[in-house]
């Protein structure tokens, strides 16, 4: 396993960009998605991608709007 932390960037009006380190993505039944060697992927936030859970650029056509700024979660 890599010690490099996985970086997830919330893209304004778009996807979650996942990159760095080592990561795996599974469906609800525990089956792993093959990323075909990709070291970075974009995860859909808008719900309109035809390739869920991955972004296919559809957020632009549906005019998805979501701009976020980092904040601190309250203690658990
Ligand atoms: S965020 Fe890109 S298709 Fe949904």
């Amino acid at each position: 396993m890599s010690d490099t932390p996985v970086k997830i960037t919330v893209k304004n009006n778009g996807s979650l960009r996942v990159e760095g380190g080592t990561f795996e993505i599974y469906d609800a039944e525990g089956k792993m998605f093959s990323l075909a060697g990709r070291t970075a992927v974009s995860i859909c936030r808008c719900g309109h991608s035809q390739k869920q859970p991955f972004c296919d650029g559809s957020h632009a056509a549906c005019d998805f709007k979501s701009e976020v700024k980092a904040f601190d979660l309250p203690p658990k």
Side-chain angles (χ1 to χ4, degrees):
M1 282 296 222
S2 169
D3 288 338
T4 305
V6 173
K7 178 181 178 185
I8 301 174
T9 304
V10 183
K11 307 287 275 187
N12 283 338
N13 309 317
S15 64
L16 297 175
R17 185 70 175 165
V18 182
E19 57 196 335
T22 301
F23 59 87
E24 298 171 336
I25 302 174
Y26 294 85
D27 68 13
E29 296 175 350
K31 183 177 177 193
M32 188 171 71
F33 288 88
S34 169
L35 303 180
R38 287 172 178 79
T39 58
V41 295
S42 294
I43 303 296
C44 177
R45 276 201 310 142
C46 74
H48 289 268
S49 174
Q50 297 301 303
K51 295 182 178 177
Q52 293 288 342
F54 304 102
C55 172
D56 68 358
S58 295
H59 57 267
C62 74
D63 201 28
F64 177 62
K65 298 291 184 209
S66 174
E67 295 189 6
V68 298
K69 299 279 188 199
F71 60 93
D72 297 333
L73 290 173
K76 290 198 300 183

